[in-house]
Amino acid sequence: MECVFGMVGKGFALVVADTSAVNSILVHKSNEDKIMVLDSHKLMGASGEAGDRAQFTEYVQKNVALYQYRNGIPLTTKAAANFMRGELATALRKNPYMVNIVLAGHDKETGPSLYFIDYIATLHKVDKAAFGYGSYFALSMMDRHYHPNMTVDEAVKLADQCIEEIRSRLVVAPQNFVIKIVDKDGAREHSWRRTTKD
Amino acid sequence: MSRRYDSRTTIFSPEGRLYQVEYAMEAIGNAGSAIGILSKDGVVLVGEKKVTSKLLQTSTSTEKMYKIDDHVACAVAGIMSDANILINTARVQAQRYTFSYQEPMPVEQLVQSLCDTKQGYTQFGGLRPFGVSFLFAGWDKNYGFQLYMSDPSGNYGGWKAAAVGANNQAAQSMLKQDYKDDISREEAVQLALKVLSKTMDSTSLTSEKLELAEIFLSSSGKVKYQVCTPDDLGKMLVKYGVTQPPAEA
């Protein structure tokens, strides 16, 4: 089962996602990157229906880029989050996107921020968020160990603890995970946690 | 010769001109003027009222100045009924942006969006262009205080000081002479009143004939749009020495 989670630290935000692409009992691949780099300073971890996930995330990414080309300034994380929520809300009563998103961003004026956006267009600005069966373990772990203004090392250590819980307690746990980070220097891949090579 | 190419807005003349757009600008040249000046701590808009009567309910209606959103206002010159349509369009566009992004619409984007609407009326639909020119004044976090001028063609530009309506060329050249880059808001008010008093046709200048509005940041950092009361305006006219008393019989 897919799982995506994230947290805010001191001057940065972290997003972790599993990298399995699954169709019922078959694992297509174990290195599917589900954390899209939305623009220079935003990360979007998405889980849900594979087709909807790709379609919606790419749609948002291109609209965010279009805004920047048209207006010469990037969207703030808050504006991007609300735009996404609006698109999900508009589609909801017609043909909903079955995608859950954790949006992490860093803005010069407001610092790092994290948004929880689920498939029925719920939007919450949060310090920690998680989706999927893994969320039961990740949220509990983060509730216990998270504190505001963590350093990158502390946050990655907490992420590792969450991954460890998911691996040991989830019956069909994903094999590999990717960790991405966004701070004042931009959004980038941090590291992988593998149990299999693909 | 040009009469053949007048009647439809959507065609060029052989010389490459759009006559309907030019005629719209003519109409504005006969309307009450408006001046906008950008200062380092605010934007000032002054307008000349053409409709003056003691019977006019000045406390509830404004003729020249309109608030588009909390952080943007405009002064109009031209056909008032056309202006009302465009002001409403601008207000809707601003709210639509805030609905999508939960943030105030950047001023230039608002102006651009409205100008795209105006441009449509010069290219398709067979409808005449809007006979209005605007001076948009606003503040946003990207570029601070801004002043934009737009005309019926759908063109717009960012200005430090601009004039629209009657005698706008004379006003513009006066502004060019006297404007300084580090002008304060109070100096800008003074300059605007001085320029308007010189370019207005009327013989006597009283607070009834003018409207003054300012956009600035309050002490708490919020954008404020303030229309001057007629009494305060009257006092300012006396203070800056621009009042001309009515001609004695």
Side-chain angles (χ1 to χ4, degrees):
Chain A
M1 244 268 76
E2 294 196 326
C3 90
V4 180
F5 63 92
M7 65 192 91
V8 177
K10 189 172 171 64
F12 71 94
L14 209 68
V15 181
V16 183
D18 78 284
T19 57
S20 62
V22 166
N23 190 350
S24 97
I25 57 166
L26 174 71
V27 178
H28 281 296
K29 59 196 296 221
S30 328
N31 59 356
E32 169 86 351
D33 186 355
K34 296 177 199 166
I35 308 182
M36 175 171 271
V37 174
L38 202 53
D39 73 12
S40 62
H41 286 74
K42 290 180 195 43
L43 284 175
M44 181 170 55
S47 71
E49 258 331 304
D52 280 353
R53 171 164 51 76
Q55 184 75 350
F56 185 72
T57 56
E58 283 173 27
Y59 174 71
V60 171
Q61 190 189 49
K62 295 334 173 203
N63 268 287
V64 169
L66 180 61
Y67 183 98
Q68 182 148 12
Y69 284 122
R70 269 190 181 143
N71 302 308
I73 46 169
L75 277 171
T76 59
T77 311
K78 176 179 166 193
N82 277 286
F83 169 73
M84 270 195 247
R85 191 214 75 83
E87 292 298 309
L88 288 168
T90 308
L92 181 63
R93 305 279 174 184
K94 295 196 173 123
N95 52 339
Y97 291 105
M98 304 298 287
V99 201
N100 299 310
I101 289 170
V102 173
L103 175 69
H106 186 280
D107 304 298
K108 229 169 34 171
E109 306 92 8
T110 49
S113 51
L114 192 71
Y115 289 87
F116 169 103
I117 308 170
D118 79 6
Y119 74 102
I120 39 177
T122 308
L123 174 68
H124 291 305
K125 183 177 186 301
V126 290
D127 288 332
K128 42 184 156 45
F131 281 112
Y133 283 122
S135 70
Y136 293 114
F137 309 105
L139 278 172
S140 306
M141 214 57 193
M142 289 194 285
D143 282 346
R144 173 70 182 84
H145 294 293
Y146 176 91
H147 57 89
N149 293 318
M150 289 193 293
T151 65
V152 177
D153 286 335
E154 286 174 324
V156 172
K157 186 156 158 271
L158 176 51
D160 276 327
Q161 286 175 303
C162 294
I163 292 171
E164 188 53 42
E165 277 304 299
I166 293 167
R167 276 197 178 137
S168 55
R169 289 296 184 186
L170 195 51
V171 62
V172 202
Q175 287 154 321
N176 302 330
F177 288 82
V178 65
I179 303 175
K180 292 198 183 179
I181 186 171
V182 60
D183 61 17
K184 66 171 173 34
D185 300 321
R188 58 194 179 279
E189 197 176 278
H190 182 274
S191 50
W192 284 71
R193 300 284 182 268
R194 291 182 211 273
T195 55
T196 63
K197 284 247 174 261
D198 206 44
Chain B
M1 178 67 190
S2 63
R3 295 289 149 204
R4 280 190 226 161
Y5 307 99
D6 279 4
S7 43
R8 292 175 47 194
T9 57
T10 53
I11 55 177
F12 282 108
S13 76
E15 302 93 52
R17 294 156 68 175
L18 291 168
Y19 280 112
Q20 282 299 305
V21 176
E22 290 181 21
Y23 296 159
M25 304 213 228
E26 266 299 306
I28 296 165
N30 298 326
S33 35
I35 292 179
I37 302 185
L38 183 67
S39 77
K40 51 183 197 327
D41 54 337
V43 194
V44 175
L45 293 171
V46 185
E48 171 200 358
K49 291 208 274 203
K50 281 289 197 182
V51 185
T52 53
S53 160
K54 271 209 300 235
L55 297 173
L56 202 59
Q57 180 70 290
T58 45
S59 54
T60 49
S61 72
T62 53
E63 186 186 310
K64 305 290 287 182
M65 311 290 172
Y66 295 91
K67 193 175 175 187
I68 306 290
D69 196 353
D70 285 338
H71 63 298
V72 185
C74 69
V76 306
I79 303 175
M80 276 318 303
S81 41
D82 285 6
N84 282 331
I85 302 289
L86 284 172
I87 287 165
N88 187 53
T89 306
R91 287 174 173 158
V92 170
Q93 284 163 350
Q95 291 309 308
R96 197 173 282 145
Y97 183 98
T98 307
F99 177 66
S100 278
Y101 298 104
Q102 294 300 313
E103 281 181 350
M105 189 170 193
V107 186
E108 184 169 358
Q109 285 183 42
L110 178 62
V111 177
Q112 200 160 25
S113 172
L114 194 68
C115 285
D116 286 346
T117 306
K118 288 207 253 187
Q119 188 275 347
Y121 286 79
T122 70
Q123 194 171 22
F124 46 78
L127 303 169
R128 68 164 173 82
F130 290 96
V132 204
S133 277
F134 284 101
L135 287 171
F136 286 99
W139 183 93
D140 63 45
K141 64 175 170 52
N142 307 303
Y143 295 111
F145 290 107
Q146 296 149 74
L147 175 68
Y148 294 95
M149 176 165 76
S150 79
D151 63 30
S153 67
N155 274 326
Y156 75 92
W159 292 82
K160 297 178 188 176
V164 290
N167 298 325
N168 63 334
Q169 270 168 327
Q172 196 89 26
S173 52
M174 243 185 265
L175 287 168
K176 198 156 94 164
Q177 273 186 308
D178 294 333
Y179 181 83
K180 312 181 308 257
D181 275 334
D182 56 351
I183 196 172
S184 75
R185 187 154 49 94
E186 212 186 301
E187 289 170 332
V189 171
Q190 187 176 4
L191 176 60
L193 289 173
K194 191 180 86 171
V195 171
L196 200 60
S197 72
K198 294 225 172 102
T199 58
M200 267 168 71
D201 289 332
S202 55
T203 47
S204 67
L205 187 59
T206 59
S207 61
E208 290 166 358
K209 300 214 169 117
L210 294 181
E211 254 175 46
L212 169 70
E214 296 171 75
I215 291 233
F216 56 94
L217 290 182
S218 72
S219 46
S220 57
K222 284 188 69 173
V223 188
K224 274 212 81 176
Y225 162 73
Q226 207 165 57
V227 181
C228 203
T229 61
D231 291 332
D232 285 343
L233 190 52
K235 289 194 205 125
M236 253 189 262
L237 288 173
V238 172
K239 187 168 123 185
Y240 297 136
V242 290
T243 313
Q244 290 154 259
E248 300 295 320

